[in-house]
Amino acid sequence: MNKITNHLPTAELQALDAAHHMHPFTSDGALAKKGVRVITSGQGVWLTDSEGSRIIDGMAGLWCVNVGYGRGELADAAARQMRELSYYNTFFMTTHVPAIALAAKLAELAPGDLNHVFFASSGSEANDTNIRLVRRYWDIKGQPERRVIIARKNGYHGSTMGGGSLGGMPYIHAAGGKIDGIEHIGQPHWWAEGGEMTPEEFGLLRARELEEKILEVGADKVAAFIGEPIQGAGGVIVPPSTYWPEIQRICDKYGILLIVDEVITGFGRTGNWFACETFGIKPHIITIAKGLSSGYQPIGGSIVCDEVAHVIGNADDDFNHGYTYSGHPVASAVALENLRIIEEDGIIDHVRDVAHPYLAEKWHKLGDHPMVGQTSLVGLMGSLQLTPNKATRAKFAAKPGTIGFRTREHCFRNNLIMRHVYDRMIISPPLVITTEEIDVLIDRATKSLDAAYAEVKAEGLFTEA
Ligand SMILES: *Cc1c(COP(=O)(O)O)cnc(C)c1O
């Protein structure tokens, strides 16, 4: 067989892909008919496809390429580490320098007494770790009946059986079932579900569902609550300001552990190292992945507070959990170098002081578009709610996601990667995006919204449910 390279004609690559490659979260048959897009290289915020198109990546891959594509220092760090120690494990009383250095660096960066890191290769795996960590903690504390973890509908915590069960996506639960001992409460999605309430009233109402659920399950049976500071895959849903303080109060009142899933929001996305700082949350565990290595290597983990780590670490028995690649030396070395770049290039200051304010002005102006209702932007994580009637926050009559999908297709055609979640458009660009590149992003987004609006109107789809 010939060597498969980027240089085969696109049609040939597409045919081979359709014949042999099963894609995540995709209907492969439908994709094969349409023809998959082949990405061949990346630099900064730009991708190039096999047809030579230059695409601006408004999603930083899957919310992960925080420092942008093509950073040579990260390639060098990987090559150096592969030559020195390509692999060793951290089981059975051994360790190595990259895992030590990365754990120590994360303890320094993470807020409060989050000083201990358990490594995984992804966010899903890290959340599976968290299920074991919190249940194990309560076992050792002599409260083994505390097993239930409360999460939110339309939350996303990965797609392993554990991560997918913590998440509140019914279509993932339907894909092979859901583990037991996980309960879901409503999400703080004011636009869609807030009715006549103010966002602040609605935020309190949704947070108080946690207390109702704790009382329903029994306070002595709840191990932990898990949530994303801002729901990402759910549609970049920024909670009302009242939500997190009330969640914190309730977790404190009942002594349940608080897990904050920072897989997207960590490492500068919201203008701080962690969104816990942005929202003033004090968690016992935070989940990390994605921006930890800017996607250059698969690595994730759980950063654990002193109390939980000490209880588990000082028990007589082992914590029976781990992955072959926990703390993988190459992934750790790359993550460490990525953190150095974020720090030394002042990337978080760039987000807070330059890119966010510049983008915010233009992003919120998109709210004047006839099809855009609410606009949200925290740091460099934003959403546009599409609606046929802003005043009443109406839904479209068409099946949810129809208009969002149409809009995404126009973005694709205009060489802009902007995703849709049902009828919300979302962005999460690399944190290094410049003001000139923000102009390009906004220009292409505007063009795409205009084209989608014209099409939707012409087809009679600009109608309310
Ligand atoms: C992407 C994501 C995950 C899962 O991470 P993977 O690396 O895909 O397993 C978990 N939580 C959140 C909030 C995510 O966005």
Side-chain angles (χ1 to χ4, degrees):
M1 196 178 166
N2 289 332
K3 192 165 163 245
I4 297 169
T5 69
N6 285 336
H7 308 294
L8 284 177
T10 302
E12 241 175 278
L13 290 168
Q14 288 172 327
L16 285 168
D17 189 83
H20 305 295
H21 183 193
M22 299 175 75
H23 289 254
F25 290 101
T26 299
S27 158
D28 283 309
L31 180 65
K33 274 196 208 110
K34 197 163 170 272
V36 68
R37 191 166 200 171
V38 183
I39 304 297
T40 54
S41 64
Q43 195 62 46
V45 303
W46 298 94
L47 295 167
T48 305
D49 71 9
S50 56
E51 296 293 280
S53 301
R54 271 171 61 75
I55 305 157
I56 187 161
D57 186 4
M59 286 305 301
L62 278 179
W63 326 78
C64 55
V65 189
N66 288 15
V67 302
Y69 297 94
R71 294 288 303 232
E73 306 98 304
L74 294 173
D76 294 343
R80 241 186 348 257
Q81 186 56 46
M82 280 187 195
R83 290 203 172 89
E84 185 157 329
L85 179 67
S86 52
Y87 173 76
Y88 201 70
N89 70 76
T90 52
F91 291 26
F92 314 131
M93 308 174 93
T94 57
T95 190
H96 47 67
V97 176
I100 298 168
L102 181 59
K105 184 67 191 174
L106 288 168
E108 176 200 316
L109 294 175
D113 67 346
L114 295 162
N115 289 321
H116 313 266
V117 187
F118 195 103
F119 288 111
S121 298
S122 69
S124 303
E125 286 179 12
N127 279 325
D128 281 30
T129 298
N130 292 338
I131 294 172
R132 287 226 169 88
L133 279 174
V134 299
R135 288 180 175 170
R136 176 75 181 140
Y137 171 82
W138 289 115
D139 272 349
I140 300 167
K141 296 281 278 186
Q143 297 183 59
E145 65 289 350
R146 278 203 189 242
R147 290 179 58 76
V148 173
I149 300 169
I150 301 174
R152 285 104 49 91
K153 293 174 188 163
N154 199 35
Y156 188 78
H157 300 294
S159 88
T160 50
M161 282 306 289
S165 298
L166 290 172
M169 309 290 194
Y171 54 89
I172 295 180
H173 298 162
K178 170 176 169 288
I179 66 171
D180 64 6
I182 294 170
E183 298 280 335
H184 292 89
I185 59 173
Q187 57 175 333
H189 189 355
W190 174 79
W191 173 277
E193 301 174 5
E196 298 296 307
M197 273 175 269
T198 65
E200 291 71 28
E201 289 165 349
F202 180 69
L204 280 180
L205 180 94
R206 277 294 149 93
R208 286 176 187 157
E209 281 185 26
L210 174 58
E211 186 157 30
E212 287 163 30
K213 184 59 87 177
I214 291 170
L215 296 174
E216 178 195 318
V217 170
D220 55 349
K221 299 211 164 42
V222 179
F225 171 78
I226 185 169
E228 302 153 85
I230 298 168
Q231 287 157 262
V236 184
I237 296 157
V238 181
S241 61
T242 48
Y243 182 77
W244 275 109
E246 186 67 1
I247 290 283
Q248 181 84 56
R249 184 189 71 75
I250 294 165
C251 287
D252 292 349
K253 177 173 172 190
Y254 294 95
I256 70 173
L257 298 175
L258 174 56
I259 308 167
V260 173
D261 187 335
E262 293 247 29
V263 168
I264 288 175
T265 53
F267 308 104
R269 177 61 54 198
T270 69
N272 287 298
W273 277 100
F274 295 98
C276 282
E277 300 158 83
T278 308
F279 288 92
I281 312 168
K282 292 194 168 60
H284 296 92
I285 298 175
I286 64 181
T287 320
I288 54 171
K290 294 190 172 130
L292 169 58
S293 68
S294 287
Y296 281 69
Q297 284 283 293
I299 183 167
S302 308
I303 315 185
V304 181
C305 71
D306 289 340
E307 157 72 10
V308 172
H310 290 155
V311 165
I312 290 174
N314 293 332
D316 292 332
D317 298 328
D318 290 342
F319 177 50
N320 289 307
H321 175 76
Y323 306 110
T324 300
Y325 299 138
S326 284
H328 191 288
V330 178
S332 297
V334 169
L336 201 58
E337 180 67 2
N338 174 62
L339 298 180
R340 186 195 65 72
I341 291 173
I342 293 176
E343 216 164 23
E344 288 182 13
D345 285 7
I347 288 176
I348 298 177
D349 293 339
H350 171 75
V351 171
R352 200 174 34 228
D353 302 335
V354 180
H356 169 82
Y358 190 80
L359 176 59
E361 197 193 320
K362 290 162 192 280
W363 192 250
H364 294 308
K365 264 203 198 103
L366 292 176
D368 297 338
H369 192 280
M371 199 158 71
V372 177
Q374 188 191 36
T375 59
S376 312
L377 186 73
V378 177
L380 288 181
M381 191 174 175
S383 53
L384 304 173
Q385 176 72 51
L386 306 181
T387 175
N389 187 335
K390 311 179 193 217
T392 62
R393 312 207 306 268
K395 293 188 170 70
F396 290 100
K399 186 173 163 235
T402 306
I403 314 303
F405 178 76
R406 297 287 191 102
T407 307
R408 191 194 73 180
E409 292 292 282
H410 283 285
C411 293
F412 231 63
R413 251 169 256 152
N414 287 318
N415 289 323
L416 164 65
I417 305 227
M418 173 155 77
R419 261 175 68 188
H420 78 112
V421 177
Y422 297 107
D423 295 311
R424 282 171 88 79
M425 306 311 297
I426 60 176
I427 55 159
S428 173
L431 304 184
V432 294
I433 192 168
T434 63
T435 53
E436 292 79 16
E437 289 162 343
I438 289 172
D439 288 340
V440 176
L441 186 152
I442 290 290
D443 185 52
R444 291 184 184 181
T446 306
K447 234 196 251 167
S448 306
L449 283 166
D450 287 347
Y453 177 57
E455 179 184 301
V456 161
K457 265 187 85 166
E459 291 182 33
L461 289 172
F462 198 70
T463 48
E464 297 179 30

